[in-house]
Amino acid sequence: MIKWAGWIFALCGTLHTIGALTVEKAARHAGTWFSGGLWHEDLADMSSAGSAYWLSVESFGIPLFLIGLTVLWLDRRGIVPPAFIAWTLGAWTAVGAVVLPFTPWPLFAIGCALLLIGARRARRENPAPEAGLPQA
């Protein structure tokens, strides 16, 4: 379950970022981004280049990808990811579901549930040693 959650998060982050850069054609504004064209941009009156930047490179896609990779990395080493990852992503998913209901938030919710259930099962099967006691 933990592995599936990691893959869901990594895949969603990857697809969002690549989709924004290609399908939504955000990458066509890269010249503006790297020439300082956004330095004095007003967020309340965003240009198409600024909007494309926030949709792609500066969006949740890259951090979500990194969270997914971190969950997979921890799982490969037999380390149970902390529950706060799932709870935080779950809260963020709930806000996203209310603000933009026609997005893939159900997929994020599934990933959060899998991570919580997998972490709980892993901890039940292999409880952590008591704090302060030396390991043999």
Side-chain angles (χ1 to χ4, degrees), residues 4-32:
W4 274 101
W7 280 113
I8 288 171
F9 298 143
L11 184 64
C12 286
T14 301
L15 291 176
H16 177 81
T17 304
I18 291 174
L21 289 169
T22 59
V23 176
E24 294 294 326
K25 298 179 175 72
R28 68 184 168 158
H29 297 285
T32 303

Side-chain angles (χ1 to χ4, degrees), residues 7 17 27 38 44 58-59 79 86 90 103 109 116:
W7 280 113
T17 304
L38 301 181
E58 207 52 44
S59 75
I79 303 168
T103 60
L116 282 172

Side-chain angles (χ1 to χ4, degrees), residues 21-63:
L21 289 169
T22 59
V23 176
E24 294 294 326
K25 298 179 175 72
R28 68 184 168 158
H29 297 285
T32 303
W33 301 341
F34 292 107
S35 67
L38 301 181
W39 289 0
H40 302 290
E41 177 111 346
D42 181 7
L43 291 177
D45 188 27
M46 204 177 301
S47 67
S48 59
S51 177
Y53 179 70
W54 287 103
L55 175 67
S56 60
V57 178
E58 207 52 44
S59 75
F60 68 88
I62 295 170

